[in-house]
Each structure stands twice: as C-alpha cells, then as structure tokens.
Amino acid sequence: MIPFVTFTLLILFSLISSSSSSQISVSVTPKTLSKSGDFVTIKWTGIPSPSKLDFLGIYSPPSSLHDNFIGYIFLSSTSEWESGSGSISIPLVNLRSGYQFRIFRWTESEIVPDLVDHDHNPLPQTKHLLAVSEEVGFVSGRGPEQVHLALTGFEDEMRVMFVTPDGKESYVRYGLTRGRLGRVVKTRVVRYEKEDLCDAPANSSIGWRDPGYIHDGVMHNLKKGKKYYYQVGSDSRGWSTIFSFVSQNRDTGETFAFLFGDMGTATPYLTFLRTQEESKSTIKWISRDIEALGNKPALISHIGDISYARGYSWLWDNFFTQVEPVASRVPYHVCIGNHEYDWPLQPWKPDWSSYGKDGGGECGVPYSHKFHMPGNSSVPTGMHAPATRNLYYSFDSGPVHFVYMSTETNFLPGSNQYDFLKHDLESVDRVKTPFVVFQGHRPMYSSSSGTKDISLRKRMVEYLEPLLVKNNVNLVLWGHVHRYERFCPLNNFTCGSLALNGKEQKAFPVQIVIGMAGQDWQPIWAPREDHPTDPIFPQPLQSLYRGSEFGYMRLHATKEKLTLSYVGNHDGEVHDKVEFLASGQLLNAGIRDGPADTVHMESNFSWYVKVGSVLMLGALMGYIVGFISHARKNSADNGWRPIKTEVI
C-alpha cells in the first residue's frame, strides 16, 4: 500500500493531466451505509465524446492504485451513456474499509490483447482518469456480519461464526424467546495475513484485502428440536440483528438437507474472474424450502468450490453476505474443492494427479479459517501457511450418517484420511442411522469431463469404492462437473442388481454429480451449430439422467425411506427423484434401458478412454453421438447455453 499523501498527489496529477476533467463530475449517494447489501447510486455528467469502453472503477480501500480495482462497470451498460451522463445503483458489501469510484476513458486502440480476464475478455486500462467520487463508508456499531452456523457433532450444540473489523471481544447471546437472550458465550478469534497465503493473486496487492477477524462461538445445552433466537457482537461494538435456528433432534427420525456443489457468488460488477449469477437463484429457492419447513431442523451441504474467490479475497466477503440469509438459519457444511486449495507446491501432488493452481494461491487458508467443521482433520502445507483444516469428517442427522472427504489431499491406503473413512464407515450403526450419504468434490464417475481426471478416478475406484460397497453406502455425491448426472447403482463400472447377495435386498451405491449450483463452465452433450468442432460428451448407458439446469438437491429421510430430489433453478420444481428404502432397495431408479441387472459396463477405464477418443473424431462424430444421446432420457436444455468445455 502506498502512502496516502503520495496516492492523493497521483490522483490530482491524473485529473490535471486530463484535458476534459474540469467538465466532468461524479457523485455518489448516500455517503454512509448501514450494512452489507445496501445500495449506492453513482451519477456522472459531462463526459465528452463517450466511448463504449469508458468505465466506472470500484475501489476498496479508497487508497488502492488504479489497477487494483475490485470491479468495474462499463458506462455503456446504461441507456443514456451516449449523452455523457448517467447513473448506476449497486449494492456494496462491507469490506471493513471505505469505497471510492473512479471514471476512466478507455478506447479500442488501447486494448492489450494479453491482459485479459477469466473469460479472455480484455481487462480495462486505467491510464486516463476522468473523475473521482467522494468516499463511501459503513457506519460503525451495527454489529458483526457474515453470520453462519455449523454442527459440532454434538446434538445439543450449534456453532456460529462471524466477522468483525477489529477482533474486539465478542459474544453470542441466545435463548428460546426473541426478547430473552439470557445465555451468553464468548467467542474465540482467528485471523490470517497476506504472508500466510502461498501464491498470487492471493498474496499480491491486486488480490489481497484485509479479511477482518473471524469469530467462533458454540451455543451449548440446547433442547432438542426447539427454535432458538440469537445475536452476535458486543455492547461496545454493537450487536447483529436477531437470527434464529431450530436445534437438532435425532429422536424425530427425520432429516432435511439441501445439497449442491460449485455454487460461487454473484457480484453487481465485472471483475478479474467470472462470478456466478445463477447462485442467487439457488439461494432463493433454498430459502423458500427452509421457510416451508417451519420449525423443523435442516442443514446445507456445499461440496467444494465454495466462493470461487481464487485469490481475490473480496469475493469471500461477497459469498458470505449472499449466503447469510440461509447460513444463519441452518448449519452450512462444506468440503474442500480444487478452487479452495490447489497450488503448484501443495504437499501431496503425485505425478498421476491433475492438481494445478486452481486455488489462486489461497492454499486452503481462507477456507480453513472461515469454516469450522466437526472433527480435527488437518494437513500441513509445508510452507509458512497454517495447516489446512476441514478436510474429512462425519456426523449424524436424524436417520442419516453424513460423511465428507477431501479429493485434494491424500486419500490412498496408509493416509490418515483413508484410515478415518474406513473406520468411520465400518462403525456406522445402521439401526440408528439406516442411511449413509458420502460426499466429496471431484467425482469418481462422470461422463462429462473427458480424460483430465482419469488417473485420479482410477485410484478412487480402486481404493475408495470398495469401502463404499462393502459398507453399503446408499448415496455418493460429487461436485466439480457443473451439471447434474445420476448413475445406476455402480461397482467398478458395472450396474448392480437390486437383489444382491441372495435374498438380501441391497444395491450398490448410487453416485450422483451435483455441481450445478452456480458455476457455468459447462461440458456439452449435444452438438452446437455455432461451435461445430467443440467436443461432445456421449452419455453411457450407466448414466441414467443428465440435467442441464442449474439447481440443487433436496433430501428428506425418515427411518423407512430417503428421498433425493433434483430441483431446477429455472422453475423451482423437481426434475428428477430417487428413493431408497432402509432395507437397501432402490425405488424410482429411472433405469433407462431395461432392468438394472441387465445393464452392463466395462469394468475398467476404457470407458473414459473411449470418451476421449470420441472427442477427437470432431464435429461429424459429435452430431452422431448427439443424436444418440438425445434419444435417451435427458432433461431439456431450457436455454442454458454452455460457454466453455473445461471442467474447473
């Protein structure tokens, strides 16, 4: 950060150097905001000969260098831009620092082809400053923000986490009525610094912003299945609004959960990375479902690729602000994905792996600090960065035992993670929890991502799948691929019978990819006339349903039956459903081409190899495969246009 006086002189010099600056004005109202999500309106006038590329740069803190904006909006996005005047209203997130807005002139002749954003669009240049706004800030004393809950593994507890700007002593006060929050617990405080991060942009001046102080408190001795009210903060620094949640009650024999992967967050501006506009719909529909539950406990499970911040820290703030309406009401559980963790020097990186630098240099540090999941799993980073946490754990909720793993750290036999998973699955009391739901980020099975993760999947099938099959896991959920895809009950690429092992009614685990909550880099399943050479991913017989709509999963379980439904964001309705009986029998399996025990698949990785071969055949073969795929059971595309073929 450069000294404020020097920065001010640079601003003044930029304005004096602009021959037209005296004609231009920019204003912002209001100057003070109460909380994250409040709107400001930016107005400008007097821009001569407007360019389509003139833009509004958004800065926090206000002392940021011109190139270190957090986002930008092209003035041409407004209807009146050609007049040289206009206005834009956007919500702001409290980054524990003020905001400033700057207008720049940018023309096509100044485009730098190699300086691009995530989608290869040229990033704006900041050579010609036209106008600077006054600063906008947030009032103090309004209490903490980014409130979110988590289970601890004990039925009579609930964890709550939140962020403050200064780390001063803070508390959680709670009770059974809104007007009597008589029970109080103190929070512990953690924080990370720029030096704790492993690579750029996370530890660079472009990506780093002060993350604030992260508070962690546990509400104890909760009565079963009761609605509790709570606030976080302090008398000296202010209290949050009053939130509520329903405590766990395993005696009811009922579980409600909402599950998805790869959601991300939406911003009201463009930035260095693509953000996930569809994430707003996911939260909207889940909010509806939580409201409909009334006073029944539920939980959310987000299986990797959480905020897609990838080293741009304000996107974490944006994410937690966006999910607070649901995460403050029900526990929000996560597992680690490649975009929270992967970096070039990560400690476990076998030569067969496909781990890259998808974490943007974060190396799991924000993820490990901002969440606190049950258990104590951790892996050293081998660097200055603290150990990575929240890797693998489990808990019971009603009749369901939930298990989480890390696909980004060592899961092979002999590793701590493998030992934990093996012991945990072998120890499940199936009378108490007749259903087991296993979750991780990168999928063991997927027909939509080509050959990139073949070697990793081979190890997952070789070492992890036997644990799942042996211990009668019902349901296995993965993210990473940004589509919905449900497979038949699988074991080593072979669909199973519903009457295995003699008279016992069992099924192999049903594996489902659920990475469709927001991110929109999509593999494609059918040919596109405007992209005839794009690869096509054929649908094998073992893939029973592929959905191309954004959405999430809704889980409801009793002691007798677990129902899992795929809800589409475009209409909030159920588009696929599968049901499991406590006996192990699978209902509504959607077997497409005959009974499950007549559908066969090669029990080796020739499936993936053949998929890769198909991709190389080009457009003609793509049309043939596309025609065949459309003859099978696919959900309608409904206008969701895939814009990339990579899986990230």
Side-chain angles (χ1 to χ4, degrees), residues 10-257:
L10 287 173
I11 288 282
L12 290 174
F13 178 77
S14 299
L15 290 172
I16 293 171
S17 300
S18 174
S19 61
S20 59
S21 64
S22 61
Q23 305 171 17
I24 303 170
S25 67
V26 58
S27 64
V28 56
T29 54
K31 300 293 190 304
T32 304
L33 304 178
S34 296
K35 63 184 185 306
S36 289
D38 285 355
F39 278 75
V40 295
T41 298
I42 307 101
K43 296 182 179 180
W44 62 91
T45 60
I47 297 179
S49 305
S51 162
K52 286 186 177 181
L53 298 181
D54 292 342
F55 68 95
L56 177 76
I58 304 167
Y59 294 85
S60 182
S63 58
S64 300
L65 293 174
H66 288 337
D67 289 341
N68 292 353
F69 47 73
I70 67 167
Y72 57 93
I73 299 172
F74 290 110
L75 304 188
S76 57
S77 64
T78 65
S79 59
E80 65 272 34
W81 72 274
E82 291 180 293
S83 70
S85 301
S87 66
I88 292 173
S89 294
I90 60 172
L92 297 182
V93 168
N94 188 350
L95 300 181
R96 300 156 298 282
S97 179
Y99 279 80
Q100 188 183 71
F101 303 91
R102 305 173 197 167
I103 292 179
F104 295 90
R105 165 61 45 86
W106 187 37
T107 63
E108 292 184 10
S109 63
E110 297 173 309
I111 291 175
V112 180
D114 295 333
L115 191 62
V116 296
D117 68 9
H118 195 206
D119 289 320
H120 306 289
N121 299 313
L123 281 169
Q125 302 299 293
T126 58
K127 294 180 180 179
H128 309 297
L129 178 66
L130 300 182
V132 178
S133 78
E134 296 181 86
E135 294 185 15
V136 174
F138 287 82
V139 297
S140 60
R142 295 301 297 266
E145 295 192 340
Q146 304 183 29
V147 178
H148 55 286
L149 301 172
L151 300 175
T152 67
F154 295 96
E155 186 180 18
D156 65 342
E157 294 182 345
M158 184 68 74
R159 183 181 306 280
V160 58
M161 302 183 74
F162 54 89
V163 172
T164 66
D166 53 19
K168 300 295 184 181
E169 196 168 88
S170 296
Y171 303 87
V172 184
R173 58 188 187 188
Y174 59 104
L176 288 168
T177 60
R178 179 181 290 271
R180 295 188 63 185
L181 307 181
R183 300 168 69 178
V184 180
V185 294
K186 186 178 178 180
T187 62
R188 71 180 186 93
V189 185
V190 296
R191 175 180 167 83
Y192 58 92
E193 304 293 343
K194 182 162 68 171
E195 294 74 24
D196 293 327
L197 302 166
C198 298
D199 206 346
N203 60 7
S204 71
S205 59
I206 290 179
W208 168 260
R209 297 294 186 280
D210 189 319
Y213 293 80
I214 302 157
H215 295 252
D216 184 342
V218 176
M219 293 173 272
H220 301 276
N221 300 318
L222 304 176
K223 295 181 179 180
K224 295 181 179 182
K226 297 294 184 179
K227 186 171 185 177
Y228 278 86
Y229 298 88
Y230 71 100
Q231 274 185 307
V232 297
S234 66
D235 290 337
S236 61
R237 307 296 291 174
W239 291 91
S240 71
T241 186
I242 297 177
F243 301 100
S244 67
F245 67 92
V246 180
S247 59
Q248 295 291 296
N249 185 2
R250 296 173 186 170
D251 295 340
T252 64
E254 195 170 29
T255 303
F256 294 94

Side-chain angles (χ1 to χ4, degrees), residues 513-531:
V513 177
I514 60 170
M516 69 297 188
Q519 179 61 295
D520 59 357
W521 288 52
Q522 298 303 328
I524 63 174
W525 296 333
R528 291 169 53 185
E529 293 181 2
D530 54 342
H531 291 74

